[in-house]
Amino acid sequence: MGLDFSGVPAQVVTDRQVMLPASVAALGAFDGVHRGHQALIRAAVDSAREQGRPAVVWTFDPPPKVHFGRAAQLLPLAEKLARIAALGPDFIVVAQFNDCYARRSADDFLADLGRIGPVQIHVGADFRFGARQAGDVTLLARHFSVVEAPVTCCTAGETISSSRIRGLQASGRAAEAVPLLAAPLPLHAIGAALLTNDIRHREDDNA
């Protein structure tokens, strides 16, 4: 499925559908696609443009913390995809995070990434993957060229994170979270049912 928000159409695919000879990738749960996530994704897209390679954003639905019941989801999938697409990647890869996926090993995830031929991967320092979070950025860097994203701070100097945004919302300070979640522009409305159903149909077709 194609989404066009920035002059560059983004193809939304599942992790079982994608195959590329080379790419520059951004990895993460990206729950909320807050300003820190946006900076990470923009850096990957800019690097891909400079290298003349496809830009890929690889994410998970639901975010792992949400699946395990450790956090409430900040955005529905449709809005998350809209925000990511507005940043201009060529592909958005959505991996369905369920009990089966959570049991897969770190090596399984590394093999999945190999299918997009990443010449460079942009990721946050706290990124984990594989069963029991066995994989980390150090392991990822043994297999691929990794760019660790710098921390993004608000005007008060505090780190912008999904956990901080949830904390603000839970403590009745939702107004303070709004600028941290500022949507990238241009951003247009998309049908939640259309996007979500399309991805589910693709999963069913490849089951």
Side-chain angles (χ1 to χ4, degrees):
M1 178 176 195
L3 304 176
D4 190 345
F5 294 95
S6 64
V8 179
Q11 295 295 317
V12 181
V13 297
T14 71
D15 56 325
R16 289 185 290 176
Q17 293 172 311
V18 66
M19 181 74 73
L20 296 169
S23 69
V24 174
L27 305 183
F30 300 132
D31 190 17
V33 196
H34 57 60
R35 285 169 46 203
H37 296 150
Q38 292 172 34
L40 188 159
I41 293 169
R42 281 195 180 101
V45 171
D46 289 347
S47 180
R49 298 290 171 262
E50 291 171 1
Q51 299 182 45
R53 304 182 190 277
V56 177
V57 175
W58 190 299
T59 192
F60 310 91
D61 181 62
K65 285 185 179 180
V66 174
H67 170 77
F68 290 117
R70 298 199 297 265
Q73 191 160 336
L74 289 174
L75 292 178
L77 177 60
E79 186 174 350
K80 173 178 173 176
L81 292 177
R83 284 171 169 253
I84 293 173
L87 298 166
D90 301 290
F91 295 90
I92 305 173
V93 178
V94 182
Q96 183 180 5
F97 199 95
N98 51 29
D99 288 340
C100 181
Y101 193 93
R103 290 192 293 269
R104 300 177 77 237
S105 70
D107 285 342
D108 288 336
F109 181 68
L110 292 171
D112 288 347
L113 291 180
R115 296 202 303 272
I116 62 170
V119 298
Q120 190 179 75
I121 291 177
H122 293 246
V123 69
D126 59 351
F127 183 71
R128 298 291 185 275
F129 57 94
R132 300 183 182 277
Q133 299 185 324
D136 57 12
V137 174
T138 299
L139 177 59
L140 192 67
R142 292 177 189 162
H143 297 265
F144 306 104
S145 175
V146 170
V147 176
E148 191 173 309
V151 170
T152 301
C153 297
C154 65
T155 54
E158 296 184 66
T159 300
I160 297 175
S161 69
S162 299
S163 296
R164 183 181 169 213
I165 291 167
R166 289 189 186 94
L168 289 171
Q169 293 175 339
S171 61
R173 299 161 62 193
E176 296 178 44
V178 171
L180 310 184
L181 279 166
L185 296 175
L187 184 60
H188 305 289
I190 39 179
L194 176 62
L195 279 176
T196 304
N197 289 339
D198 182 78
I199 288 175
R200 286 175 179 166
H201 290 328
R202 288 168 182 263
E203 285 285 351
D204 292 341
D205 291 343
N206 287 274

